[in-house]
Amino acid sequence: MAVNAKKVAVYVLVVFVMYVIITDPKGAAGYVQIGFEGISDAARALGDFATWVANGGK
């Protein structure tokens, strides 16, 4: 039962994403840019943290 609900949720999400891309391509591009900026910021923060740890927490 849970597997079917998961499949339905993924299907609905994919349909929604396709709808947004088709109806508002510029907006969808903005969402993708925001997502990649978020990933980039998170990676930078992890790198800063790893550097801080490597320097003995100073």
Side-chain angles (χ1 to χ4, degrees):
M1 183 74 174
V3 174
N4 289 336
K6 186 177 179 181
K7 286 182 181 179
V8 169
V10 169
Y11 178 74
V12 168
L13 181 65
V14 168
V15 169
F16 176 73
V17 168
M18 294 302 294
Y19 172 77
V20 170
I21 291 171
I22 291 169
T23 58
D24 187 16
K26 288 183 182 180
Y31 299 143
V32 170
Q33 182 178 1
I34 290 169
F36 279 120
E37 286 176 3
I39 291 169
S40 174
D41 291 344
R44 185 176 301 112
L46 285 172
D48 291 344
F49 176 73
T51 301
W52 177 78
V53 169
N55 289 332
K58 297 180 183 177

